[in-house]
Amino acid sequence: MANVETKGVIIKQNDYGEGHRMLSVFTDKYGIIKAVNYNAKRMRSKAASSQFLSYGDFVLYRSAGDVMTVKSIDTSDTFQPISESIVKLALSNYMSDITYALLGMENPDERIMRIFLNALYALAYRNEPPDKVKTVYELKLMSAGGYMPLLDGCASCGSVAVSSFDIDKGAAFCDSCKSGAAVRISENAYRAMRYITMCEDKRMLAFRADKGLIAELNSVSERYVKTYLDRGFKSLEYYYSMSDV
Ligand SMILES: [Zn+2]
């Protein structure tokens, strides 16, 4: 067995035994992996580098089991401003949860990792509203993960006069073709969804939207996530309970 090197970002950390930490690390080479950082709570340098959202170069030791051992972490960013906001922290937890729910363990996806890091960067350094980052991440993650919604006019007749989005079908429809289950969406929401799902990943937040539009997008995108990942998320409820105060 050998040491492996990879870029990674810590998406979960729990206490483990006496003074150790169990980390879930989203790595570019191996996907999401679990790794124990021994004595992480006793040594100050190790404690700092094994925080939630620490990003950098990891050296890991892979023995026979599923769990790796951290040999070293060379941190290049901690997205520090996120940890100063309980709302941003709650959102980052939710984004980590849906990413894990989509990818599972050891399923590398460098594109999704970049999208995840883009979202963290926007939250930490760009002062983008958390609700905007949330809906964009939900739509971009699902699109990159194989659940791209059909947003090229009405999915049935091709009309550009789209007025609703059917979550179960993952497609937009016009008034005459929509089924009863479809939710109404405004033209602006349709345009924004098209932009988010089809734009270059690094431009995913480069559009203007007022609060009303962001709220409309969120109501669609979070139901979309819930439907295709087939579960709800406690971290989403927590995010809303923090956003309301
Ligand atoms: Zn139609």
Side-chain angles (χ1 to χ4, degrees):
M1 307 299 157
N3 285 349
V4 295
E5 288 174 30
T6 181
K7 291 238 180 266
V9 57
I10 296 171
I11 60 168
K12 193 171 228 149
Q13 57 111 342
N14 297 107
D15 289 346
Y16 180 71
E18 286 286 309
H20 316 304
R21 278 206 176 122
M22 176 66 79
L23 310 178
S24 294
V25 189
F26 189 4
T27 69
D28 59 356
K29 276 192 200 157
Y30 308 100
I32 297 169
I33 54 106
K34 278 195 188 299
V36 188
N37 199 3
Y38 287 103
N39 297 314
K41 289 174 73 185
R42 294 201 186 104
M43 295 163 65
R44 199 179 293 172
S45 60
K46 274 197 160 191
S49 63
S50 55
Q51 305 272 11
F52 179 55
L53 304 183
S54 278
Y55 169 75
D57 292 300
F58 286 69
V59 178
L60 306 162
Y61 176 77
R62 195 200 256 289
S63 52
D66 288 341
V67 178
M68 296 186 179
T69 300
V70 175
K71 302 289 276 190
S72 68
I73 306 171
D74 184 6
T75 306
S76 53
D77 201 342
T78 58
F79 303 101
Q80 173 67 22
I82 293 179
S83 64
E84 290 158 10
S85 154
I86 198 140
V87 174
K88 291 179 179 178
L89 210 45
L91 177 57
S92 303
N93 263 311
Y94 168 66
M95 295 195 307
S96 299
D97 280 356
I98 60 176
T99 307
Y100 175 71
L102 181 88
L103 284 176
M105 295 290 284
E106 307 216 18
N107 178 20
D109 194 313
E110 286 187 43
R111 182 182 168 203
I112 289 179
M113 186 167 157
R114 272 200 309 276
I115 294 170
F116 183 73
L117 292 169
N118 286 350
L120 294 184
Y121 189 89
L123 270 183
Y125 306 119
R126 284 279 168 78
N127 212 23
E128 291 281 8
D131 276 346
K132 182 180 174 193
V133 176
K134 173 182 167 291
T135 191
V136 167
Y137 187 69
E138 286 171 332
L139 289 169
K140 208 68 180 162
L141 170 73
M142 298 311 285
S143 301
Y147 302 99
M148 177 94 166
L150 295 172
L151 295 164
D152 208 8
C154 171
S156 182
C157 73
S159 161
V160 291
V162 158
S163 62
S164 66
F165 184 74
D166 190 315
I167 307 246
D168 289 328
K169 296 193 173 88
F173 291 96
C174 73
D175 256 346
S176 14
C177 301
K178 74 173 161 61
S179 71
V183 290
R184 281 205 83 76
I185 53 168
S186 66
E187 193 182 342
N188 281 343
Y190 169 64
R191 284 213 193 117
M193 285 171 72
R194 263 179 72 91
Y195 176 80
I196 296 162
T197 54
M198 295 175 195
C199 71
E200 237 188 305
D201 295 342
K202 64 181 179 192
R203 305 272 305 153
M204 67 190 200
L205 285 143
F207 66 98
R208 279 178 191 281
D210 61 23
K211 275 193 172 173
L213 177 56
I214 296 291
E216 188 183 0
L217 290 171
N218 268 297
S219 75
V220 176
S221 61
E222 83 186 30
R223 283 176 60 189
Y224 194 72
V225 167
K226 194 177 170 190
T227 300
Y228 286 90
L229 298 181
D230 202 20
R231 50 167 291 196
F233 293 88
K234 281 215 169 74
S235 50
L236 178 61
E237 292 165 31
Y238 183 71
Y239 168 68
Y240 278 128
S241 71
M242 289 298 119
S243 307
D244 288 344
V245 291

